[in-house]
Amino acid sequence: MEKQVIAVYLEKFGLATMFPESVKKTMRLETFASGSQLFAQGEEAHALYLLAEGKLKISMLSPEGKRLIVAFKSPFDFVGDVEYVRKCQLINTVETVTATTVIRIPYEVLESEMAGNAEWLQFLLESITRKFEIKSHAMNFNLLYTVDVRVASYLLAMTPNKTTLDSTSLVDMADLIGTSYRHLNRVLKHFEEQGWLVKKRGKITITDRSALLAQTGQNIYE
């Protein structure tokens, strides 16, 4: 059953012919609940993960010791491809925003079975190039966008299929979007006064999603 599900995902994402059977037979499905940490920055990397269902939050620790949002990921995308090529520790911390399903592919199998596959190598090159572009943009977000836009975008990105999120870790949220706890609270209060959200009992409830989207013009994290 697991192999059939994996085959469906590979076909859906146009990857069915890229991987030989020797690689496909080592693939495994893994599922994670919302709010789970898949990896932490600095950990050893052992496998490539194909995001098949759900949504991921990618963050990194800056040289100043602040944890900043790099991007939010939706299917399909790979996690661990940069580390596979560079043979380094995990560059980012990866957490689930929603319930998530990934396909795990061991590095050692890719190394032995795919190292000379031109299609695979070209695919990796395009994937990694795109990620470094995204990371470069992410590092400039603090200069390009106001805090209001960053807060609205974060709220939208964290609630793709729900209206409520936990507000008990506002310090972490402030760090992730590159602002102070005090400034974040001012923005949230302003949004509440506008009728866009309600902040109560450790929860933030989105009441006007379209207004938040209008505030951002676009979701800058996606």
Side-chain angles (χ1 to χ4, degrees):
M1 181 64 178
E2 180 184 36
K3 295 302 180 187
Q4 293 175 343
V5 174
I6 291 174
V8 170
Y9 281 130
L10 293 179
E11 186 68 36
K12 177 182 178 180
F13 301 134
L15 302 174
T17 60
M18 181 181 295
F19 297 105
E21 289 302 318
S22 58
V23 175
K24 290 179 181 178
K25 70 180 183 182
T26 68
M27 295 180 179
R28 296 291 181 268
L29 279 180
E30 295 186 4
T31 58
F32 299 88
S34 173
S36 302
Q37 185 181 88
L38 274 67
F39 318 107
Q41 184 176 342
E43 289 182 347
E44 293 297 323
H46 302 287
L48 188 72
Y49 290 80
L50 168 61
L51 176 58
E53 299 283 352
K55 188 172 188 178
L56 299 176
K57 178 174 68 176
I58 315 295
S59 63
M60 65 170 291
L61 197 64
S62 73
E64 295 77 26
K66 297 289 187 179
R67 185 158 299 282
L68 300 172
I69 289 289
V70 174
F72 286 84
K73 297 290 185 182
S74 299
F76 89 97
D77 210 323
F78 280 116
V79 177
D81 47 352
V82 176
E83 291 83 354
Y84 167 70
V85 171
R86 294 184 60 195
K87 294 180 172 54
C88 64
Q89 294 177 327
L90 289 159
I91 298 171
N92 300 313
T93 294
V94 180
E95 301 165 282
T96 61
V97 176
T98 66
T100 298
T101 299
V102 297
I103 299 173
R104 183 182 189 276
I105 314 172
Y107 282 167
E108 59 185 358
V109 175
L110 293 172
E111 190 67 34
S112 63
E113 301 294 328
M114 301 290 286
N117 186 310
E119 182 184 7
W120 167 243
L121 295 177
Q122 179 63 34
F123 182 86
L124 275 180
L125 176 62
E126 293 174 359
S127 174
I128 291 170
T129 300
R130 183 174 65 251
K131 287 186 176 180
F132 276 108
E133 288 176 354
I134 291 172
K135 192 168 187 176
S136 177
H137 290 319
M139 297 304 292
N140 288 323
F141 278 163
N142 292 343
L143 299 175
L144 297 174
Y145 297 99
T146 66
V147 175
D148 289 31
V149 171
R150 279 179 269 152
V151 173
S153 287
Y154 183 85
L155 294 174
L156 290 170
M158 288 296 292
T159 55
N161 53 12
K162 59 183 180 180
T163 59
T164 302
L165 72 157
D166 192 352
S167 69
T168 57
S169 56
L170 290 183
V171 173
D172 290 340
M173 180 177 168
D175 282 346
L176 285 167
I177 63 175
T179 190
S180 68
Y181 173 78
R182 182 174 296 180
H183 197 163
L184 172 61
N185 265 317
R186 284 200 298 267
V187 172
L188 290 174
K189 183 178 180 180
H190 171 68
F191 286 179
E192 189 167 25
E193 290 170 349
Q194 296 298 312
W196 302 346
L197 59 81
V198 173
K199 184 171 171 283
K200 187 177 182 181
R201 296 177 181 173
K203 300 289 183 182
I204 296 174
T205 302
I206 309 300
T207 54
D208 193 338
R209 194 174 186 86
S210 61
L212 287 177
L213 187 56
Q215 174 74 17
T216 67
Q218 61 174 336
N219 191 336
I220 64 174
Y221 294 120
E222 298 186 341

